[in-house]
Amino acid sequence: MAEFLFHSYKRKFQLLILFFSLSLTITTVVTWRESSSSVCLVHTKPSSPLVSFLERVQETAFDTLGNTNFDAKTYVDLALKFDLSATEKAFDKLARSANGSVSVNDFNNFIETYFDGAGDDLEYSIPGDFVPEPPGFLPKVKHPEVRAWALKVHSLWKNLSRKESTRVKTQPHLHTLLPLPASFIIPGSRFREVYYWDSYWVIRGLLVSKMYKTAAAIVTNLIAFIEEYGFVLNGARAYYTNRSQPPLLSAMIYEIYKSTGDVKLVKRALPALRREYEFWNSEIHRVTIRDTQGCSHTLNHYYAMWNKPRPESSTTDKASASKLLNASEKQHFYHELASTAESGWDFSTRWMRDPSEFTTLATTSIIPVDLNAFILGMELNIAFFAKVTGDKSTAERFLELSEFRKKAMNSVFWNEDMKQWLDYWLSNPSCEGDHVWVAQHQNKNIFASNFVPLWMDPFHSDTSLVRKVVKSLKTCGLLRAHGIATSLTESGQQWDFPNGWAPLQHMLVEGLVKSGLKEARSLAEEIAVRWITTNYISFKKTGVMHEKFDVGHCGEFGGGGEYVPQTGFGWSNGVVLAFLEEFGWPQDRNIDC
């Protein structure tokens, strides 16, 4: 027994040393997650006292107001009018019933007295580079109605532009909103702060709108996250410091550089991008797979630094976990919830061991196709930026890393029978050593993510491969009347059928276009036309742009998930503008259902 404890503590010490040796400014506490096959370290970031208190307020709000029209995020976005100690004392003095609720009148008075409203710490900020009709805007859009609509979509950048109030910088302890150096574009509605992967498609739209300074300002904010935390946060809130989102910062900078030639931005960004790369290749995100030839491949998975309810969804997460038997199971489930949120696909049967049971989320046991495609893109972009700045050795190193990843993706993900790249399940999610590749562990369910590698140059440059993928995409069932479905499973989760999402449409369409094949471009334009049409019809009916769409019904926005459908909407606007720039809209082409 003594020998076991010695080796156990020795191993724990070695893992802690390894973790703290990373060049990350992450403060961690360490908890343990046990499974039937292994004992794994789960690195978690401590919550701030303000966030912990606001979770208590959120729970009381739920107990008092009920579930109707209740959005848990509202309460962790509130800003204090007074210091935390005084606010907490007043909260603790509220008279409560046996179930923890207070009277609606008392609760509303407390909120009004001690808090500013969610979003009140942000101000509208008309971008300095916005003009109603930019010179050279969408020259290939000849249809007058489509052009008028495109200008309305362009004008939405004004509505979605924000800057933080001075109080966020002078009194940051009163806010969960994190101080940022520049203004930004929000997605819309409840998403009232800057978000990581949303920003890529926002920037693609801003570049169509010739708003180069606004695009660069967004990147400046994301670089600031890396400089402060060691990685780009999910979003600009204190409760998002425990996870990232799909890593697309290098892709944003690449697109801005292509449009502006801004070498200064590239030089500023390169050290931050290398640091972000270290984060995504640190022990918590790195997995090694040994293939059938005995070759080892290093790939990456999502892994949040959290094992408690997500503060922005605390009441929802606790309700979902209520059927689990003990604290250890709940901690494991909360870790999977946060790790799934890091993927951006929150939530989908893609991440569930049992598609009918939400608590079987197992995202950390999956090596995702799209994440590794994004990191491949990061490697290629860093190599490109290093070349631009004259750093030959870094360029060569990252090109070599990209070659390793391409081989790994071909070996682990590619399925020749299906002509798709498939996520890989780890049968034994142990914390060390190689995992042996087994064909049966590929997830053979159809998801739009199975085609995302086509977005990357090593794959869309392979003509023979593209032809296979085009055929598979046409016949797999994802291509619907009004866009590409996220999956073929109708689960009620928002990243499943029948929802279609702008980022997925764009990645697949752009990958097809970049291949240069006539048949691929034809399919790409077909998808883009369907997607533009449903966005246009929906806008005509509702007067707003939506977060997601039902690809089976023209002009219908999507649903499902843990919050009501949102409007605004950053990435939808960006993708519509990008598609119109690429394909235009002839005067004689109808736009209706």
Side-chain angles (χ1 to χ4, degrees):
M1 181 65 179
E3 183 179 357
F4 169 79
L5 289 173
F6 171 78
H7 287 295
S8 175
Y9 283 114
K10 180 181 178 183
R11 181 59 185 154
K12 188 190 299 186
F13 180 76
Q14 289 171 335
L15 286 169
L16 283 169
I17 292 298
L18 177 61
F19 180 73
F20 283 109
S21 69
L22 297 171
S23 59
L24 304 174
T25 55
I26 301 174
T27 304
T28 65
V29 296
V30 180
T31 60
W32 289 93
R33 171 166 66 82
E34 298 187 13
S35 72
S36 59
S37 57
S38 61
V39 181
C40 301
L41 275 173
V42 177
H43 303 288
T44 66
K45 286 183 61 66
S47 188
S48 72
L50 175 57
V51 170
S52 297
F53 169 62
L54 291 175
E55 285 186 82
R56 293 177 59 206
V57 174
Q58 177 195 106
E59 192 156 345
T60 299
F62 183 79
D63 293 337
T64 300
L65 305 175
N67 196 30
T68 304
N69 297 322
F70 180 81
D71 187 345
K73 186 178 183 297
T74 299
Y75 296 93
V76 290
D77 289 358
L78 297 173
L80 304 184
K81 291 181 179 178
F82 310 103
D83 64 65
L84 178 59
S85 176
T87 307
E88 201 160 9
K89 284 179 183 176
F91 178 72
D92 290 338
K93 287 179 182 177
L94 292 173
R96 286 175 168 75
S97 64
N99 72 347
S101 67
V102 302
S103 78
V104 172
N105 188 57
D106 285 353
F107 182 77
N108 288 338
N109 285 339
F110 167 72
I111 294 294
E112 186 175 341
T113 302
Y114 286 91
F115 296 96
D116 290 322
D120 286 354
D121 44 11
L122 290 160
E123 301 172 3
Y124 283 93
S125 174
I126 298 177
D129 52 357
F130 175 85
V131 295
E133 185 166 0
F137 181 70
L138 299 181
K140 292 191 281 186
V141 176
K142 306 299 184 182
H143 193 294
E145 287 182 29
V146 176
R147 183 166 190 82
W149 171 58
L151 285 168
K152 289 179 183 177
V153 173
H154 159 74
S155 74
L156 294 176
W157 300 133
K158 287 192 304 180
N159 300 359
L160 298 172
S161 181
R162 299 287 188 278
K163 65 179 180 180
E164 296 175 338
S165 70
T166 55
R167 286 188 72 206
V168 177
K169 292 181 173 65
T170 60
Q171 298 177 293
H173 59 287
L174 302 180
H175 305 264
T176 60
L177 191 66
L178 298 173
L180 292 173
S183 58
F184 47 88
I185 303 292
I186 65 169
S189 298
R190 74 194 291 269
F191 301 112
R192 54 181 72 89
E193 50 281 310
V194 70
Y195 280 81
Y196 185 4
W197 79 316
D198 294 66
S199 294
Y200 174 81
W201 288 280
V202 167
I203 284 172
R204 291 299 299 265
L206 290 171
L207 295 178
V208 175
S209 295
K210 319 298 183 187
M211 295 172 64
Y212 306 123
K213 289 183 179 179
T214 301
I218 295 172
V219 163
T220 297
N221 290 324
L222 302 185
I223 291 172
F225 282 146
I226 299 175
E227 293 169 347
E228 178 69 22
Y229 300 98
F231 62 99
V232 183
L233 308 185
N234 184 150
R237 291 280 174 183
Y239 50 78
Y240 286 143
T241 57
N242 54 60
R243 64 181 188 255
S244 187
Q245 260 192 337
L248 291 171
L249 177 58
S250 72
M252 301 178 208
I253 296 164
Y254 178 79
E255 293 298 332
I256 293 172
Y257 177 78
K258 274 203 319 182
S259 295
T260 66
D262 190 346
V263 177
K264 186 177 178 181
L265 177 64
V266 169
K267 288 181 177 178
R268 161 99 196 277
L270 193 50
L273 291 175
R274 293 181 66 171
R275 194 172 176 195
E276 184 186 30
Y277 185 78
E278 290 175 6
F279 169 75
W280 281 102
N281 286 279
S282 65
E283 57 154 337
I284 62 173
H285 286 115
R286 188 176 61 239
V287 181
T288 303
I289 302 290
R290 190 168 67 252
D291 66 22
T292 53
Q293 282 75 46
C295 298
S296 290
H297 303 283
T298 300
L299 291 165
N300 305 83
H301 66 151
Y302 292 109
Y303 191 103
M305 296 166 286
W306 197 246
N307 64 354
K308 296 186 281 290
R310 294 165 298 148
E312 75 279 13
S313 302
S314 183
T315 52
T316 306
D317 288 358
K318 287 177 181 178
S320 297
S322 61
K323 64 177 70 175
L324 297 173
L325 298 176
N326 55 53
S328 177
E329 287 186 357
K330 289 180 180 180
Q331 281 191 347
H332 175 67
F333 174 60
Y334 294 143
H335 182 224
E336 297 296 342
L337 277 169
S339 298
T340 311
E342 185 171 65
S343 79
W345 283 49
D346 44 346
F347 294 97
S348 169
T349 53
R350 180 184 177 194
W351 312 116
M352 300 178 200
R353 293 191 184 277
D354 177 356
S356 65
E357 179 47 64
F358 187 56
T359 58
T360 66
L361 280 172
T363 307
T364 61
S365 295
I366 298 169
I367 309 179
V369 165
D370 46 0
L371 171 61
N372 285 278
F374 300 147
I375 297 176
L376 172 63
M378 189 193 303
E379 290 162 345
L380 291 167
N381 289 333
I382 291 175
F384 175 79
F385 297 147
K387 186 176 180 181
V388 166
T389 58
D391 186 348
K392 184 179 178 182
S393 63
T394 296
E396 289 174 349
R397 174 171 168 255
F398 276 88
L399 280 176
E400 185 178 34
L401 289 169
S402 73
E403 282 298 316
F404 291 148
R405 189 171 301 275
K406 176 188 173 184
K407 290 175 183 175
M409 292 178 67
N410 284 335
S411 178
V412 175
F413 298 140
W414 178 252
N415 185 290
E416 181 62 28
D417 293 333
M418 295 177 64
K419 308 296 188 291
Q420 300 172 27
W421 295 269
L422 307 178
D423 292 339
Y424 186 81
W425 280 85
L426 302 172
S427 60
N428 175 18
S430 62
C431 306
E432 56 184 277
D434 291 1
H435 301 266
V436 178
W437 188 87
V438 179
Q440 289 80 3
H441 293 170
Q442 287 185 328
N443 185 352
K444 294 182 174 61
N445 291 320
I446 307 294
F447 299 98
S449 51
N450 296 3
F451 298 91
V452 166
L454 192 65
W455 197 34
M456 299 302 159
D457 179 68
F459 301 115
H460 64 238
S461 297
D462 184 336
T463 299
S464 174
L465 178 69
V466 173
R467 287 199 173 99
K468 293 177 183 179
V469 174
V470 166
K471 183 177 179 181
S472 180
L473 182 56
K474 284 180 175 179
T475 59
C476 71
L478 290 177
L479 186 56
R480 299 288 168 147
H482 303 289
I484 298 168
T486 309
S487 80
L488 300 182
T489 305
E490 191 162 6
S491 66
Q493 300 297 337
Q494 62 173 353
W495 287 85
D496 272 321
F497 188 85
N499 286 343
W501 293 80
L504 293 170
Q505 318 299 314
H506 183 258
M507 287 185 281
L508 272 57
V509 164
E510 189 161 76
L512 292 167
V513 168
K514 286 183 174 181
S515 73
L517 287 182
K518 184 177 179 181
E519 62 188 293
R521 182 177 178 86
S522 176
L523 176 60
E525 184 165 9
E526 181 183 340
I527 295 166
V529 167
R530 296 180 189 193
W531 185 254
I532 291 167
T533 299
T534 199
N535 277 254
Y536 173 77
I537 297 300
S538 176
F539 187 90
K540 279 186 69 176
K541 291 196 297 186
T542 64
V544 292
M545 291 291 287
H546 293 271
E547 176 193 28
K548 52 188 178 282
F549 293 85
D550 180 338
V551 294
H553 296 89
C554 185
E556 296 296 324
F557 56 84
E562 62 181 8
Y563 56 82
V564 299
Q566 303 295 294
T567 62
F569 195 87
W571 61 20
S572 297
N573 306 346
V575 169
V576 160
L577 293 176
F579 280 171
L580 288 172
E581 181 173 62
E582 176 65 41
F583 299 106
W585 201 276
Q587 188 165 354
D588 59 354
R589 176 188 285 161
N590 290 330
I591 184 162
D592 56 40
C593 297

